[in-house]
Amino acid sequence: MFIVVTDPVVREKLAQASPPPPDPARPKPLLEAPLVVILAVNKDEDPMFHKYDGALVAAYFMLAAHALGLGTVWAGIGTEQEISAVRRAVSLPDSYLSVALIPVGYPDEKPEPRPRKPIEEITRYNIFQVNVA
């Protein structure tokens, strides 16, 4: 379920529900982006894998938005208190779990891609080995 939030009052409640950014000078996307998409999953439909399914959908949603020239960021909520506050803000039924808050908008800048680790540093074959030369 995608809940698209444009109401500034509801977005303020979402911003209060999520952890504060580590640097107060950084942008506050839950308040500054034109909209926030809440990805919510029905816990009753798949009790074992609903969180994984929701995370996959959120990742694909963010990739699709990027392909359209939109900027997104995953605004994490993880504690029971944060999840409950989001639930109250958007009247989410108890059978649903909010997996991600995703602010969406047009980015102010287009940074260069970050460097990637070499494949040899992040890949192991057959068994996990530490410090493979």
Side-chain angles (χ1 to χ4, degrees), residues 124-129:
R124 301 294 181 262
Y125 295 94
N126 301 315
I127 61 171
F128 184 87
Q129 299 171 347

PDB file of all heavy atoms in Angstrom, residues 124-129:
ATOM      1  N   ARG A 124      32.655 -13.288  -1.819  1.00  0.00           N
ATOM      2  CA  ARG A 124      33.316 -14.521  -1.377  1.00  0.00           C
ATOM      3  C   ARG A 124      32.667 -15.675  -2.150  1.00  0.00           C
ATOM      4  O   ARG A 124      31.509 -15.607  -2.517  1.00  0.00           O
ATOM      5  CB  ARG A 124      33.146 -14.760   0.128  1.00  0.00           C
ATOM      6  CG  ARG A 124      33.689 -13.659   1.017  1.00  0.00           C
ATOM      7  CD  ARG A 124      35.216 -13.567   0.904  1.00  0.00           C
ATOM      8  NE  ARG A 124      35.768 -12.535   1.764  1.00  0.00           N
ATOM      9  CZ  ARG A 124      36.082 -11.318   1.348  1.00  0.00           C
ATOM     10  NH1 ARG A 124      35.876 -10.952   0.107  1.00  0.00           N
ATOM     11  NH2 ARG A 124      36.611 -10.451   2.185  1.00  0.00           N
ATOM     12  N   TYR A 125      33.419 -16.744  -2.354  1.00  0.00           N
ATOM     13  CA  TYR A 125      32.907 -17.898  -3.079  1.00  0.00           C
ATOM     14  C   TYR A 125      32.856 -19.111  -2.159  1.00  0.00           C
ATOM     15  O   TYR A 125      33.820 -19.412  -1.456  1.00  0.00           O
ATOM     16  CB  TYR A 125      33.778 -18.192  -4.302  1.00  0.00           C
ATOM     17  CG  TYR A 125      33.717 -17.068  -5.314  1.00  0.00           C
ATOM     18  CD1 TYR A 125      34.671 -16.054  -5.311  1.00  0.00           C
ATOM     19  CD2 TYR A 125      32.679 -17.005  -6.223  1.00  0.00           C
ATOM     20  CE1 TYR A 125      34.596 -14.994  -6.215  1.00  0.00           C
ATOM     21  CE2 TYR A 125      32.603 -15.956  -7.133  1.00  0.00           C
ATOM     22  CZ  TYR A 125      33.556 -14.970  -7.115  1.00  0.00           C
ATOM     23  OH  TYR A 125      33.473 -13.926  -8.016  1.00  0.00           O
ATOM     24  N   ASN A 126      31.733 -19.735  -2.157  1.00  0.00           N
ATOM     25  CA  ASN A 126      31.474 -21.008  -1.456  1.00  0.00           C
ATOM     26  C   ASN A 126      31.411 -20.875   0.071  1.00  0.00           C
ATOM     27  O   ASN A 126      30.535 -21.430   0.676  1.00  0.00           O
ATOM     28  CB  ASN A 126      32.481 -22.077  -1.853  1.00  0.00           C
ATOM     29  CG  ASN A 126      32.452 -22.350  -3.338  1.00  0.00           C
ATOM     30  OD1 ASN A 126      31.360 -22.478  -3.908  1.00  0.00           O
ATOM     31  ND2 ASN A 126      33.592 -22.411  -3.973  1.00  0.00           N
ATOM     32  N   ILE A 127      32.353 -20.205   0.677  1.00  0.00           N
ATOM     33  CA  ILE A 127      32.313 -20.005   2.132  1.00  0.00           C
ATOM     34  C   ILE A 127      32.747 -18.584   2.440  1.00  0.00           C
ATOM     35  O   ILE A 127      33.441 -17.948   1.646  1.00  0.00           O
ATOM     36  CB  ILE A 127      33.212 -21.011   2.909  1.00  0.00           C
ATOM     37  CG1 ILE A 127      34.674 -20.835   2.494  1.00  0.00           C
ATOM     38  CG2 ILE A 127      32.733 -22.439   2.712  1.00  0.00           C
ATOM     39  CD1 ILE A 127      35.663 -21.627   3.351  1.00  0.00           C
ATOM     40  N   PHE A 128      32.370 -18.104   3.611  1.00  0.00           N
ATOM     41  CA  PHE A 128      32.798 -16.771   4.031  1.00  0.00           C
ATOM     42  C   PHE A 128      34.226 -16.855   4.553  1.00  0.00           C
ATOM     43  O   PHE A 128      34.547 -17.704   5.382  1.00  0.00           O
ATOM     44  CB  PHE A 128      31.886 -16.234   5.135  1.00  0.00           C
ATOM     45  CG  PHE A 128      32.220 -14.837   5.549  1.00  0.00           C
ATOM     46  CD1 PHE A 128      31.673 -13.762   4.865  1.00  0.00           C
ATOM     47  CD2 PHE A 128      33.103 -14.590   6.578  1.00  0.00           C
ATOM     48  CE1 PHE A 128      32.004 -12.455   5.220  1.00  0.00           C
ATOM     49  CE2 PHE A 128      33.445 -13.292   6.936  1.00  0.00           C
ATOM     50  CZ  PHE A 128      32.891 -12.230   6.266  1.00  0.00           C
ATOM     51  N   GLN A 129      35.056 -15.983   4.045  1.00  0.00           N
ATOM     52  CA  GLN A 129      36.449 -15.934   4.504  1.00  0.00           C
ATOM     53  C   GLN A 129      36.788 -14.476   4.808  1.00  0.00           C
ATOM     54  O   GLN A 129      36.394 -13.583   4.051  1.00  0.00           O
ATOM     55  CB  GLN A 129      37.403 -16.454   3.433  1.00  0.00           C
ATOM     56  CG  GLN A 129      37.154 -17.890   3.056  1.00  0.00           C
ATOM     57  CD  GLN A 129      37.977 -18.279   1.838  1.00  0.00           C
ATOM     58  OE1 GLN A 129      38.525 -17.431   1.155  1.00  0.00           O
ATOM     59  NE2 GLN A 129      38.071 -19.567   1.580  1.00  0.00           N
TER      60      GLN A 129
END
